Amino acid sequence: MLIRRLGLGATVAALFTLGVLDLVQHYGTRPFVAMVLSAVRVAPLFFYRRRPVAAWVAVLAAAALTAGVSEPVSRSEPWPWAVTNVMAVTAVAGMVASLGRRNLSLTMFGILAGGYLVLAFWPGGGDNWATGVVVVVTSGIAMIVGDFVHGRSRMAAELVRERQVSATERELRSVVEERARIARELHDVVAHHMSMITVQAETARFRHRDLPPEAVTEFAEIANVARTSLSELRGLLSALRDDGADPNRTPQPTLADVPALVDRITAAGTPVTLTLTAETADLPQIVQLAAYRIVQEGLSNVVRHAGKARTWVDIVRSEEALHLEVTNERPTPQPSPATDARTHSHSQGQGQGHGLTGLRERATLLGGTFEVDHPAGGWRLRASLPL
């Protein structure tokens, strides 16, 4: 927008200045009249975007007025199309064409060319046919250039829109994929509990010999419902799993696995200090899984983007929530690709998600919070998971 306004201002200033000089020096026009005529010729450039037809009519009328009140000082001067008349008409032609009004441009070009032909064959009008050819040709070229500029601008705008749409779609797809991945992991947790319910309900009659028949029947019904629910969970997992993906039979990690994760990252070259201030074994397994994944992805980001920067992992438990914080100091120079690949493989583990998007989804699904900031040039990831 600013560049366009500066360009328009420069064009107006140049046409006005040259117009005054041309009329005064080559057509014997008084300075005041020359300034008025030049101002009238450049005025359409200020409203051509809002009223392109009026701009066309105004610039042609201004050119005709200029030809009517001015007279060349010698026969070598072009008339009735003075050089600055040609420049003004050409400028408006190009500006209007840059709006994408192709039909209007073609119509005005036809009127301009038809008017030239009428004047050329008018008695006594053929003596200055060359200036008419010049204005028709230059206006046509200006229209072609303006239409080309409009096409390029439209393609650039469409490309920007497509990129925005693609970025939005990628983000939404990442969120959906991450939610499906979280659901697959939570399936293992829920399936474990359902299996325990099934086993306890099935064995209740053997562990408690004195149960009345009604209680035995009730426990059998509970076991049957639990088995049915477990079967439905397996069907849901099959729908959520990616096509061709092998099922992951490894137990889902918990906070008890964080020290081993920290040791692997440290052994790979990124020093990590772990602070675990409370007992976490009794936490819900869903919360432990989310906490482990958040710490894992936070350390992976450190390895990928901060190299061997010192890192601190703090896990604090309060009465209401589990608070996680992964902080690294200002990054050192980027590691080599080989080192980055090696540490990346150590830190990622199996089945990593979509980075910060996945972490935010994990915290949100549990009703928690997630935020990232940059203390002292480093990187800090903080999450709070309600208990």
Side-chain angles (χ1 to χ4, degrees):
M1 181 67 71
L2 179 61
I3 296 178
R4 186 179 66 193
R5 289 181 177 178
L6 291 176
L8 179 61
T11 302
V12 170
L15 288 177
F16 178 80
T17 303
L18 293 175
V20 172
L21 295 176
D22 182 44
L23 292 177
V24 171
Q25 295 178 2
H26 301 283
Y27 295 89
T29 308
R30 287 181 297 176
F32 177 75
V33 176
M35 287 190 289
V36 172
L37 293 175
S38 296
V40 172
R41 286 186 298 184
V42 300
L45 293 177
F46 290 104
F47 57 86
Y48 78 93
R49 298 184 67 87
R50 299 188 303 274
R51 299 187 177 184
V53 176
W56 255 112
V57 174
V59 74
L60 292 177
L65 177 63
T66 302
V69 301
S70 62
E71 185 176 350
V73 296
S74 66
R75 296 183 59 85
S76 62
E77 303 297 339
W79 192 91
W81 290 102
V83 173
T84 47
N85 271 350
V86 175
M87 294 171 62
V89 173
T90 301
V92 172
M95 295 291 187
V96 172
S98 68
L99 301 178
R101 305 285 295 273
R102 184 174 296 177
N103 291 335
L104 175 61
S105 296
L106 292 175
T107 300
M108 296 309 298
F109 181 78
I111 293 174
L112 190 63
Y116 160 70
L117 292 176
V118 170
L119 292 177
F121 290 101
W122 195 267
D127 297 335
N128 296 290
W129 62 271
T131 56
V133 172
V134 170
V135 72
V136 171
V137 171
T138 56
S139 297
I141 294 175
M143 292 177 185
I144 294 174
V145 173
D147 188 72
F148 175 76
V149 170
H150 170 73
R152 295 282 296 182
S153 301
R154 185 177 60 185
M155 286 192 298
E158 291 178 354
L159 181 60
V160 170
R161 286 195 298 269
E162 288 295 329
R163 288 178 176 175
Q164 292 175 345
V165 171
S166 298
T168 302
E169 291 178 348
R170 284 196 301 270
E171 183 177 357
L172 292 176
R173 185 169 61 249
S174 297
V175 170
V176 172
E177 291 175 354
E178 187 62 22
R179 286 180 177 178
R181 175 176 173 270
I182 295 172
R184 291 195 296 270
E185 292 182 349
L186 295 182
H187 163 271
D188 294 345
V189 178
V190 177
H192 170 74
H193 295 316
M194 295 299 297
S195 299
M196 291 300 299
I197 293 174
T198 303
V199 171
Q200 290 180 344
E202 287 280 9
T203 60
R205 56 178 176 163
F206 300 108
R207 291 182 287 106
H208 305 284
R209 298 288 184 177
D210 55 348
L211 287 176
E214 295 82 2
V216 172
T217 303
E218 189 74 18
F219 276 117
E221 183 64 24
I222 292 173
N224 183 52
V225 172
R227 281 194 301 270
T228 302
S229 300
L230 189 58
S231 176
E232 293 174 350
L233 278 175
R234 291 195 184 101
L236 176 62
L237 178 63
S238 299
L240 291 174
R241 182 173 292 121
D242 296 334
D243 294 338
D246 294 330
N248 181 14
R249 305 184 187 280
T250 305
Q252 295 297 340
T254 65
L255 286 174
D257 299 303
V258 171
L261 173 66
V262 169
D263 291 341
R264 290 198 301 272
I265 299 295
T266 302
T270 301
V272 182
T273 302
L274 172 64
T275 302
L276 188 59
T277 60
E279 179 62 35
T280 58
D282 61 327
L283 292 178
Q285 191 171 358
I286 293 178
V287 175
Q288 294 199 48
L289 173 60
Y292 178 89
R293 293 301 189 196
I294 290 173
V295 172
Q296 183 185 39
E297 186 64 30
L299 292 177
S300 297
N301 285 333
V302 174
V303 172
R304 287 194 298 266
H305 304 297
K308 298 183 179 181
R310 294 185 58 189
T311 306
W312 296 267
V313 176
D314 298 311
I315 303 176
V316 180
R317 178 180 180 178
S318 65
E319 294 182 359
E320 297 84 10
L322 182 68
H323 305 282
L324 310 170
E325 186 171 304
V326 180
T327 308
N328 65 270
E329 62 184 4
R330 181 184 296 274
T332 56
Q334 290 295 319
S336 65
T339 304
D340 190 30
R342 184 175 65 253
T343 54
H344 178 79
S345 64
H346 278 289
S347 60
Q348 283 287 335
Q350 185 173 359
Q352 283 302 289
H354 295 278
L356 298 181
T357 301
L359 303 188
R360 186 172 288 106
E361 284 299 312
R362 287 185 180 277
T364 302
L365 289 177
L366 293 178
T369 60
F370 175 84
E371 59 182 8
V372 173
D373 58 5
H374 309 276
W379 181 275
R380 179 168 57 192
L381 177 156
R382 292 188 291 188
S384 179
L385 307 178
L387 302 180

